[in-house]
Structure formats: structure tokens, C-alpha cells
Amino acid sequence: METAKRIDAEKRKGKTLGRLAGVCVAVKDNICTKNVKTTCSSRMLANFVPPYNSTVIERLVNEDAIIVGKTNMDEFAMGSTTESSYFGPTKNPWDVSRVSGGSSGGSAAAVAVEEAIAAIGSDTGGSVRCPASFCSVVGLKPTYGLVSRYGLIAFANSLEQIGPITRDVYDCALLLNVIAANDPRDSTSVSIDHDDYTEQLDGIIKGLKIGVPKELMAEGTDERIVKAAWKAIYLLEELGASFGETSLPNIEYALPAYYLIAMSEASSNLARYDGIRYGYRAEGTIWSDVFSKGRKIGFGSEVRRRIILGTYALSEGYYDEYYMKALKVRTLIKNDFERAFEAFDVLIAPTMPLLPFKIGEKITDPLALYLTDIDTVSVNLMGGCAVSVPCGFIEDLPVGMQIIGKPFDEELILRVAHAFEQNTSHHQRKPKFTNKINS
Ligand code: GLN
């Protein structure tokens, strides 16, 4: 409210305001906000108050956006449902008995029910696109290096990027304009000039070549979702694009490679939570007891599982067999995409292979849950960009489709997403559950 008042006062005085003046933005709780708790939805960090802002927050605030709240997520962004949060799950606004997707489920649900105009999430293996799809909003995973990760609490840093979650493609482009920038504080941040992403939203996709990866439209995906994706592709064809089938032959190894790499990096990144420098501190006087007890109580079971598996994959004797092999598979997958992009401008596939499922349905079966990431993880492995847009409803539940682009092709995938959105009405539909305060 204070920020809003300041912006109003400045406006009255005729001062030039930032590009996001007065826009309410919700922020995933793994992105550091100065003097505001940043918990990663973990007991380990339940009382952590960062003394600094992440670069993304700084950039938003500099443009006069208003940070209205921190959003629920899977603990340390590990999950696809937001059920692994220490604070409980985020329900799906379209059907509150179902999951909102994850791990940025709180961000997507907040945008869907209009608690915020836009939100920020992070995507390590699909965590922006999955909840965007399940909550019928737009979610972008930017190219690796385009958005600074400074102040994003690390889960698997070779894979993750911060990305916008919004109600439409225009807002998504607007937010990307603000957050995409070089940052000397993040050594993986790239230095490239980008145009105003909103200027590319001209509806023109004549001559565009769409590749349809057959592996992502195959068995294992709900047939009704495959149909919805094809319907979208035919619509884009009517708008002047052409399409053809393509293949990503190594994608069958994407999930094991992703989970090996993500867990290995997680085991290393999460070693810092020892309860001594910071993090949950258990009772005791012997260092090793405090350390192991604190980590047992502070971390939930999914986080512990990943630390153990990741430590195993990195241990002597197994490193070559697991971690190194996963890195090699990552290169093969990257090559598959490069080959596909020689013939096609963008690729289109469902975002999720299934509809939002019931809370509690899969959380006890980690492998079944990991399988739901099949359509999203390969984009993180190859480092390119992808945007998920609403593409229909099945039994009143949202379906999302992703438009995948080569590295730094955000302008193009947003243009295609916008052309599709402007010729459909899915994004205008509102969920049954709306925020009582607003309505
Ligand atoms: N669902 C994936 C996982 O659990 C992706 C998570 C993410 O993108 N943060 O690892």
C-alpha cells in the first residue's frame, strides 16, 4: 500500500513512472526479497530473512512494480504439484480437489485467481510451464543466461531460469522486457541486446515452420491432450504457418538424465544448510549431531531423497557411470534439438502429458510423479526457451501447449503464442474459484 501511495503521488506530480508502475507482482518464495522472509517452502529456511534483493526483484522494483507477496512452492522447487511444501499444498483454482502444478504452483494460482497481475517463478525442469498449464495461464521459461539468477536460491543451477507467469502473452513479454538483462553478479548471465518483446507481437506468422516432435505426441500422453495440441497446430496453419513431423530420438533418456543432473547439483547446493551458519538448528552440542538432526528435521522427504541419490551419483566409483553419462546424454539431446531447428523455426508439444490430477494421487509414488515431467525437462537440458499457453479445456480442466524455441528465440515463440492466443478465447475463461477480496 505504501508503494502504491508513493507511485500515485509521483504520478500526480507528473513524474515519469517506471514501465511497471503500480503492477502487482507475486514472487516465488525461492527468490530473495530484502527484509521479507524467503523460505523455499522449507522448514529449513522457515525464518530466513534475506538481507538483499535478487536482481530480478531489483529490476521489477526499479520499474515501480509492487511486490504483493511471496508464493507457495514445492520445497526447494523439487516437485510438480506444490504438495511437497512444508506449508501445505496450493490447490488448483479450477478444481480445488486437484493440484495446481509445480513447483511454482502458488505463483500460477495467484495469477489465475487475480491475486496478482503477474508472478515470477523458476523453471528447472518445467516448474513455470507445468503450473501455468494446470492453472490456464501463460508461463515462460527463458533461455539459460537471459535472466539473472542472482538471489535465486539454487536447486540445480545448470538447468534453472527465472521466468514470468501472466494472464496473457503481452504481459509475459512486458515482464520479460524488464527482467532480461546482463548481470555481472551472475557469471552465467549473457550480454545480448534484445528488442522490446512486445513489439514482436504483431500476429504475423506467415511462412513459419512448425516441427511436431513425434515422441511428445505419442503413447503415454492423454489422447485428448494430443488432440487439443493438434487442433492448435491446425489453427496456426490456417494463420499461415506450415508444419511437419520431427523426431528427438534421445528424448527417451531425458528424464533419467535430468533427474541425475538435478539431484547431483541439488546434493551439492544444499550442503550449505548445516544449521550453524544458517538454516534450521537442532538441539545438541556435538557438531555432527546438530548437523544431521537439523537436516533430518529441516528437510522434507523429497528433498532428503534427492540429496541422498545425488550424493550417490557423485560418489567415487559411480561418478562416471551416472553423472558423466547423464552429461553425455544431455549433449545428445541438445544435438537432437539443433537438428530439429535446422528444419523448423519452433517446435510445438503438449506442456503436460496429463490433466491436473487429484491432490494426494501421486505424491506417494515419486517415480510416477517424475514421469509427468517428460515434455518439459528436455528444454532445460538443451538450454533453449519455451512458453506454455492455454490451449483448451477437457472436462472443465485446463490444457496447456508449449511452443519451444532455440536459445534466444523468445521474440519468435512469444509472437507465435500471441498469434494463437488472439485467435482463441481460452485465456479469457476464469476459474470457478476466484479471490474473494477482489470479487
Ligand atoms: N518437476 C521437476 C522436478 O521436480 C522440475 C522442478 C523445477 O522445475 N523446479 O525436478
Side-chain angles (χ1 to χ4, degrees):
M1 291 305 289
E2 270 166 32
T3 315
K5 278 183 196 145
R6 174 184 58 78
I7 294 167
D8 279 347
E10 284 176 0
K11 191 174 174 201
R12 275 193 299 272
K13 279 190 212 141
K15 215 181 139 195
T16 316
L17 298 174
R19 286 178 287 176
L20 296 177
V23 175
C24 296
V25 181
V27 176
K28 188 175 182 178
D29 213 16
N30 59 349
I31 296 170
C32 286
T33 38
K34 190 176 176 178
N35 299 335
V36 176
K37 260 191 208 170
T38 300
T39 69
C40 270
S41 287
S42 177
R43 188 172 186 185
M44 183 57 88
L45 291 178
N47 295 310
F48 174 58
V49 180
Y52 69 103
N53 269 331
S54 57
T55 297
V56 160
I57 296 292
E58 239 172 40
R59 297 191 66 84
L60 291 171
V61 168
N62 284 346
E63 294 294 342
D64 291 328
I66 304 174
I67 308 300
V68 286
K70 302 300 292 287
T71 58
N72 197 19
M73 55 184 277
D74 279 296
E75 187 178 6
F76 281 97
M78 298 175 187
S80 315
T81 63
T82 313
E83 286 168 291
S84 74
S85 166
Y86 173 61
F87 305 107
T90 292
K91 295 170 183 169
N92 190 312
W94 296 88
D95 174 348
V96 290
S97 70
R98 293 173 191 272
V99 299
S100 55
S103 61
S104 315
S107 288
V111 171
V113 302
E114 304 183 31
E115 286 178 349
I117 300 292
I120 296 289
S122 68
D123 191 310
T124 312
S127 278
V128 159
R129 289 162 287 156
C130 158
S133 167
F134 277 8
C135 293
S136 201
V137 291
V138 176
L140 171 76
K141 182 251 170 239
T143 302
Y144 190 76
L146 187 65
V147 177
S148 169
R149 286 183 299 105
Y150 177 76
L152 167 69
I153 297 179
F155 154 23
N157 32 357
S158 81
L159 297 159
E160 58 209 3
Q161 272 295 285
I162 293 176
I165 297 179
T166 54
R167 231 167 300 151
D168 60 30
V169 176
Y170 183 88
D171 284 357
C172 183
L174 202 59
L175 237 69
L176 189 63
N177 274 344
V178 172
I179 64 173
N182 178 244
D183 180 8
R185 291 180 295 188
D186 172 0
S187 62
T188 60
S189 157
V190 293
S191 174
I192 55 151
D193 289 330
H194 62 80
D195 292 333
D196 180 342
Y197 292 106
T198 61
E199 271 172 21
Q200 308 297 320
L201 309 180
D202 53 14
I204 300 168
I205 56 162
K206 208 167 172 331
L208 177 89
K209 288 188 280 194
I210 300 170
V212 185
K214 63 175 186 207
E215 293 82 1
L216 299 183
M217 293 286 225
E219 225 179 288
T221 301
D222 185 326
E223 277 174 25
R224 298 166 299 174
I225 293 179
V226 173
K227 246 199 205 154
W230 275 116
K231 204 172 152 200
I233 294 163
Y234 295 139
L235 174 66
L236 291 168
E237 188 190 28
E238 270 173 41
L239 299 174
S242 62
F243 68 85
E245 191 179 86
T246 184
S247 173
L248 303 167
N250 291 294
I251 215 152
E252 64 175 301
Y253 308 114
L255 276 174
Y258 165 80
Y259 273 97
L260 272 167
I261 294 169
M263 289 179 185
S264 300
E265 292 184 17
S267 74
S268 161
N269 279 320
L270 272 61
R272 72 190 68 172
Y273 303 106
D274 56 10
I276 289 163
R277 287 168 296 183
Y278 53 92
Y280 178 86
R281 182 171 190 142
E283 301 273 315
T285 46
I286 302 166
W287 172 79
S288 52
D289 281 355
V290 174
F291 180 83
S292 57
K293 226 162 94 189
R295 285 167 69 86
K296 187 168 182 207
I297 301 169
F299 290 136
S301 58
E302 180 59 26
V303 174
R304 286 206 306 275
R305 177 174 15 256
R306 293 193 190 204
I307 291 173
I308 292 167
L309 286 170
T311 306
Y312 179 78
L314 290 180
S315 58
E316 202 180 333
Y318 295 102
Y319 182 90
D320 287 342
E321 210 174 318
Y322 294 114
Y323 184 67
M324 278 302 281
K325 200 158 190 179
L327 290 185
K328 286 178 185 163
V329 170
R330 183 176 190 169
T331 304
L332 292 178
I333 289 170
K334 213 167 157 228
N335 295 345
D336 281 358
F337 274 100
E338 273 167 17
R339 232 170 286 127
F341 283 125
E342 276 168 20
F344 298 102
D345 302 312
V346 297
L347 307 181
I348 286 187
T351 306
M352 296 300 288
L354 74 181
L355 294 171
F357 42 90
K358 294 270 184 193
I359 291 174
E361 193 180 317
K362 289 189 192 286
I363 193 73
T364 50
D365 185 352
L367 277 181
L369 206 52
Y370 298 167
L371 288 177
T372 65
D373 296 331
I374 179 69
D375 296 334
T376 50
V377 293
S378 55
V379 179
N380 303 72
L381 288 169
M382 72 97 164
C385 55
V387 60
S388 177
V389 285
C391 94
F393 290 84
I394 296 167
E395 291 172 4
D396 288 335
L397 294 171
V399 179
M401 148 183 107
Q402 57 177 338
I403 301 154
I404 304 170
K406 46 177 178 284
F408 306 107
D409 241 355
E410 276 78 3
E411 284 169 17
L412 181 62
I413 62 167
L414 288 172
R415 174 159 9 126
V416 179
H418 180 257
F420 176 72
E421 175 192 85
Q422 293 304 304
N423 286 280
T424 52
S425 59
H426 314 303
H427 66 292
Q428 286 160 350
R429 204 162 142 176
K430 306 253 165 145
K432 268 186 259 162
F433 179 88
T434 46
N435 175 20
K436 288 203 182 65
I437 301 166
N438 279 354
S439 58

